[in-house]
Amino acid sequence: MSDNIWGYQPTSGHTAGIDLIGYKVEATNGGIGKVDKHSDAVDSSYLVVDTGVWIFGKHVLLPAGTVSSIDQAERKIYVSLTKDQIKNSPEFDKDKHEGDAGYQEQVGGYYVGQRPI
């Protein structure tokens, strides 16, 4: 993952302005859902993933720094996290994710702690 958890890695293949809604999201060990919302904001880029039936009714906020690659032809986004790491992540809070620095710090802190050794 990148040093800036809220920014896309230069090697991810991300292109600013591309609509990622509907892209399938793949953890290191399988699919986790699809992109419901995303942002390209500088130092605040993220994906909101609808996990569907996998984690019933849960949406997760994934900082852009967790994205390892984007396959635009296949409409898939690969993240450098396992399904369990995502399942155990903080619940997405639609009322706090924009403009609440404490919430962003909490979510970012969780994912920074999940970095591979």
Side-chain angles (χ1 to χ4, degrees):
M1 288 183 234
S2 70
D3 289 336
N4 175 11
I5 196 74
W6 296 102
Y8 286 96
Q9 300 176 51
T11 57
S12 71
H14 176 260
T15 303
I18 296 293
D19 185 3
L20 301 175
I21 294 174
Y23 276 50
K24 291 182 180 175
V25 181
E26 298 282 329
T28 57
N29 58 343
I32 62 156
K34 64 181 172 126
V35 177
D36 194 40
K37 182 178 179 178
H38 70 97
S39 170
D40 290 338
V42 175
D43 294 330
S44 189
S45 298
Y46 61 83
L47 304 172
V48 175
V49 180
D50 178 353
T51 61
V53 296
W54 176 60
I55 311 174
F56 185 72
K58 184 171 181 179
H59 285 72
V60 293
L61 180 66
L62 298 180
T66 64
V67 173
S68 54
S69 66
I70 299 172
D71 184 333
Q72 291 182 12
E74 294 289 324
R75 294 181 52 86
K76 286 187 179 179
I77 298 172
Y78 297 87
V79 295
S80 55
L81 298 161
T82 66
K83 290 169 93 171
D84 279 344
Q85 287 173 313
I86 294 165
K87 184 178 182 181
N88 296 326
S89 68
E91 184 83 34
F92 171 63
D93 186 331
K94 65 180 170 66
D95 296 324
K96 289 185 178 179
H97 86 283
E98 291 181 1
D100 186 328
Y103 176 69
Q104 187 173 358
E105 192 175 302
Q106 173 196 5
V107 173
Y110 171 80
Y111 288 110
V112 166
Q114 302 304 309
R115 291 175 187 254
I117 296 171

